[in-house]
Amino acid sequence: MIPQATQRPRRRRRAAAAGAALAALLLTGCTDEQLRGYLPGYNDGQVTNHTERITEMWVGSWSVLVLVGLLVWGLTIWCAIAYRRRKDDVGYPIQLRYHVPLELMFTLLPVVMIMTLFYFTQRDVREIEHHVAEPDLTVNVVAKQWSWDFNYVEQNVHEPAGVQSFQTGQEGAAEALPVLYLPVGQTVEFQLDSRDVIHSFWVVDFLYKKDMFPGHTTSFQITPTREGVYAGKCAELCGEYHSDMLFNVHVVSQEEFDQRMQELEEQGYTGQLGVDLNRNEEDWSMRERYDEAHPRNAERTTTPPAEENDQ
C-alpha cells in the first residue's frame, strides 16, 4: 500500500505561484506615472541625462520604505493581538525580560538600512553634481524679485530682461514668461546668481533644483536629452510674489538654438545681464572658492568601480 502524500507542499507551491501571479498582475497594471513614483516624465524618453537615475533612486527608496512600514505595522498589530491580556490573566506581565539576538537585530538592522540608503544616495549625488572640465554651453542665470535674467556666456548674448508675471493662472500667461533656450544633447553648465534674496532654480521636469544666494555663485551641469518646452519656477519662498516667479525652458535642436542666438544678437541683446544691482556688495564665486581647495573635476573616461560592480 502506497502511503498518501501530504497536501501541504502542494498547497504552499500553489500559494507561492498565486502570490507571484498577483504581484506580476499588479505590476503590469501600473501606469507609467505610477512606475515613476508619480514623478514628472514622458513615455518617449528621459528629459535629461540624470532624470532616470533620480527616478530610480526615488522609486527604490520608497519601495523599500513601504515594505518596511508594512512589516513594522504588521508585527505591531500581531503583537497587540497575540499578547493581549486574557480574561484569566492575573497580575502584571513580567516587566524585565530581554532577548539578546532580537535586540541585536533591532539595533543592527536599522543601521544597515541607513548605511545602504546613504551609499546609494552618495553614489547618485556624486554623479549628479559631477562637473566636466569643458561644458558645451554655459548659461548664467540671475534671479531677482520676482523674475529671471538668462545669459548665454560663450555667445555673449542674453534673453530680454525678465519681468514679473502679473497674469499667473490666466489663459495665455505662459507666453509672456521669460524663456531659456538649450540645445538638445549638449552638456550645459548653469551658473546661478541672485541679486537680492535666496532663490532656487527649478525646472520641474529636470527633477533637480539648486539654491541661489546673494553674492555667491552656485553651479550644476546637465545634458538635455529630449526636445520640448518645460516649466520652471523658483522653489524658495522669496517674498510676496514668489508664486509669480516663473519661466519656460525650450530644449531645441542645435540648428534652432543657433538661430535663436543669431536673433538675439540682431535684436541688440548683446553682453550680459549681471548682478550690477545686487543689494549685497560681496562679489565672489562659490565655485572659485571650491576650486581653490579642490581641482576642478575632469571628465571621466572610465566607469567608476562602484558602478562596474552595480552593473
Side-chain angles (χ1 to χ4, degrees):
M1 181 176 180
I2 301 176
Q4 185 176 1
T6 178
Q7 297 296 320
R8 290 184 180 178
R10 292 183 181 178
R11 292 176 181 174
R12 291 175 182 173
R13 286 195 295 268
R14 291 173 182 172
L22 180 61
L25 181 62
L26 291 176
L27 290 176
T28 55
C30 292
T31 64
D32 292 328
E33 184 180 22
Q34 291 170 337
L35 292 175
R36 291 194 302 267
Y38 295 96
L39 290 179
Y42 301 86
N43 300 333
D44 58 349
Q46 298 295 324
V47 180
T48 76
N49 60 321
H50 294 318
T51 50
E52 183 176 9
R53 179 184 296 274
I54 296 172
T55 301
E56 289 179 352
M57 180 65 182
W58 172 264
V59 174
S61 300
W62 273 107
S63 299
V64 172
L65 292 175
V66 167
L67 292 177
V68 172
L70 292 175
L71 177 63
V72 171
W73 276 102
L75 291 176
T76 302
I77 295 173
W78 177 77
C79 290
I81 296 175
Y83 300 104
R84 68 187 185 278
R85 187 177 181 86
R86 314 291 180 176
K87 292 182 178 180
D88 55 349
D89 288 342
V90 179
Y92 295 101
I94 299 175
Q95 300 298 302
L96 296 176
R97 177 176 291 180
Y98 62 90
H99 190 286
V100 175
L102 193 61
E103 293 180 3
L104 287 176
M105 184 192 72
F106 289 157
T107 303
L108 296 178
L109 190 58
V111 172
V112 172
M113 292 173 54
I114 292 173
M115 294 302 296
T116 302
L117 183 61
F118 174 82
Y119 164 77
F120 286 107
T121 302
Q122 189 276 337
R123 182 200 64 179
D124 291 343
V125 168
R126 180 191 62 188
E127 292 301 318
I128 294 170
E129 291 288 339
H130 173 68
H131 283 59
V132 301
E134 297 294 336
D136 300 312
L137 173 69
T138 303
V139 175
N140 175 227
V141 181
V142 182
K144 58 188 180 182
Q145 292 177 314
W146 284 273
S147 192
W148 308 84
D149 291 334
F150 298 117
N151 302 297
Y152 304 97
V153 177
E154 288 87 0
Q155 292 77 9
N156 195 33
V157 295
H158 62 82
E159 295 288 346
V163 179
Q164 176 190 339
S165 172
F166 293 97
Q167 302 175 352
T168 302
Q170 300 180 22
E171 185 177 355
E175 299 177 0
L177 296 177
V179 296
L180 170 65
Y181 279 74
L182 301 177
V184 68
Q186 300 295 311
T187 300
V188 182
E189 176 170 324
F190 291 95
Q191 297 178 351
L192 309 177
D193 292 298
S194 172
R195 288 203 183 105
D196 34 51
V197 298
I198 297 176
H199 298 281
S200 185
F201 181 78
W202 184 26
V203 182
V204 180
D205 289 310
F206 288 3
L207 307 183
Y208 186 81
K209 56 187 176 182
K210 194 83 168 181
D211 284 350
M212 313 166 76
F213 305 95
H216 308 267
T217 300
T218 56
S219 66
F220 71 97
Q221 294 181 351
I222 62 164
T223 303
T225 55
R226 181 184 181 277
E227 295 186 21
V229 179
Y230 304 102
K233 60 180 70 178
C234 177
E236 189 76 32
L237 182 59
C238 57
E240 184 177 4
Y241 299 102
H242 160 72
S243 60
D244 289 335
M245 198 167 170
L246 309 173
F247 64 96
N248 286 320
V249 176
H250 294 248
V251 178
V252 298
S253 64
Q254 185 65 52
E255 293 75 15
E256 189 173 348
F257 176 79
D258 293 337
Q259 181 180 355
R260 177 65 177 178
M261 297 301 101
Q262 184 177 354
E263 291 176 354
L264 292 175
E265 185 175 359
E266 293 174 352
Q267 294 171 6
Y269 295 112
T270 57
Q272 304 286 280
L273 298 175
V275 290
D276 302 338
L277 301 178
N278 194 345
R279 298 178 188 172
N280 194 328
E281 295 181 359
E282 296 182 55
D283 186 16
W284 56 274
S285 167
M286 183 177 292
R287 172 57 56 184
E288 292 177 358
R289 294 291 180 88
Y290 179 85
D291 290 341
E292 291 176 0
H294 308 278
R296 188 171 179 80
N297 296 327
E299 185 172 5
R300 293 194 180 98
T301 57
T302 59
T303 303
E307 288 207 1
E308 290 180 353
N309 295 334
D310 293 339
Q311 294 174 358

